[in-house]
């Protein structure tokens, strides 16, 4: 809390609390959909076999299902040396799950890739580029367990606190904190 009684506002999540992530401004205290309840009650242990520096790793989502790993490597290597690139595939079918992880040698290169590649097109698909969350955010839950970021308005399962959907600063009306929800809904 600050001196004037307001909580310190941050646009991006620094820890993963499913109730806060499901809130436009990060102030909710009750879940508003069943997926948030699923995330709260699910147990998730990050993959211990994943190596490398999570602070130098980016997540690339919404890839074209036909995009090969070589294309990802060539598109992202223009920002400097890549230590590791992994296109995630289904274990049974071998098909792309349409997301990948790229680890850079330097933090500054990762930052540049974040800035320049977010919402760019690769093989006809607009991609999103975020910082890796699984090892960097305590409490992280993947989308399949009701967590994650993003979501669609139609499903009502929006998640906030990421670059694509940052938290909105709540504003005070009298003694009550309100948030500007009409812009999203």
């Amino acid at each position: 809390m600050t001196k004037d009684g307001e909580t310190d506002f941050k646009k991006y999540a620094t820890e993963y609390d499913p109730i806060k992530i499901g809130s436009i401004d990060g102030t909710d205290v009750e879940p508003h959909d069943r997926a948030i309840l699923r995330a709260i009650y699910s147990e998730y242990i990050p993959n211990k076999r994943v190596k490398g520096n999570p602070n130098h790793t980016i997540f690339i989502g919404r890839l074209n299902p036909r995009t090969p790993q070589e294309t990802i490597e060539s598109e992202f290597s223009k920002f400097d040396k890549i230590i590791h690139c992994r296109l995630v595939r289904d274990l049974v079918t071998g098909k792309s799950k349409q997301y990948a992880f790229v680890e850079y040698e330097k933090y500054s290169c990762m930052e540049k890739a974040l800035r320049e590649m977010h919402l760019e097109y690769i093989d006809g698909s607009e991609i999103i580029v975020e910082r890796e969350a699984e090892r960097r955010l305590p409490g992280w839950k993947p989308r399949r367990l009701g967590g994650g970021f993003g979501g669609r308005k139609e499903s009502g399962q929006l998640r906030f606190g990421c670059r694509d959907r940052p938290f909105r600063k709540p504003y005070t009306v009298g003694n009550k904190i309100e948030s500007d929800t009409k812009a999203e809904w």
Side-chain angles (χ1 to χ4, degrees):
M1 286 235 177
T2 59
K3 284 187 269 182
D4 56 0
E6 286 188 29
T7 57
D8 292 329
F9 175 76
K10 293 182 178 135
K11 279 174 77 169
Y12 305 115
T14 54
E15 65 179 67
Y16 197 86
D17 177 355
I19 294 175
K20 288 180 183 174
I21 296 298
S23 167
I24 288 174
D25 57 10
T27 61
D28 286 7
V29 291
E30 291 187 27
H32 72 273
D33 66 43
R34 281 184 269 159
I36 291 174
L37 289 172
R38 193 168 68 243
I40 291 169
Y41 296 122
S42 66
E43 288 188 29
Y44 180 71
I45 300 167
N47 188 345
K48 301 284 187 220
R49 294 180 297 169
V50 176
K51 302 292 181 211
N53 187 340
N55 294 315
H56 292 202
T57 305
I58 57 175
F59 164 83
I60 303 143
R62 298 185 191 156
L63 288 166
N64 185 316
R66 293 180 298 282
T67 300
Q69 184 165 318
E70 293 78 26
T71 301
I72 297 165
E73 287 174 353
S74 69
E75 288 288 330
F76 284 88
S77 65
K78 61 187 169 190
F79 301 105
D80 208 3
K81 185 177 179 195
I82 292 176
I83 293 177
H84 186 70
C85 177
R86 181 171 72 105
L87 175 64
V88 179
R89 298 184 174 279
D90 185 275
L91 290 173
V92 177
T93 65
K95 292 182 180 179
S96 168
K97 288 196 169 187
Q98 301 173 325
Y99 65 95
F101 296 93
V102 173
E103 181 188 358
Y104 285 96
E105 187 174 56
K106 298 182 215 158
Y107 181 82
S108 60
C109 303
M110 184 270 305
E111 284 288 328
K112 190 171 183 184
L114 273 171
R115 277 192 314 274
E116 295 187 22
M117 291 302 287
H118 186 62
L119 301 179
E120 287 295 319
Y121 285 85
I122 295 179
D123 291 342
S125 291
E126 185 180 51
I127 62 167
I128 59 166
V129 181
E130 289 274 354
R131 289 174 171 83
E132 180 197 343
E134 180 179 41
R135 296 179 294 156
R136 207 177 48 77
L137 291 179
W140 172 256
K141 304 285 175 110
R143 190 78 182 162
R144 65 186 162 84
L145 297 177
F149 288 121
R152 294 203 165 105
K153 282 195 259 188
E154 300 83 31
S155 69
Q157 294 181 4
L158 294 168
R159 303 292 180 264
F160 299 89
C162 61
R163 281 184 61 205
D164 221 21
R165 278 205 184 86
F167 290 126
R168 296 205 177 132
K169 189 169 185 171
Y171 56 91
T172 307
V173 178
N175 292 337
K176 187 177 177 188
I177 292 178
E178 296 288 332
S179 107
D180 184 11
T181 57
K182 59 186 163 196
E184 195 63 42
W185 297 98

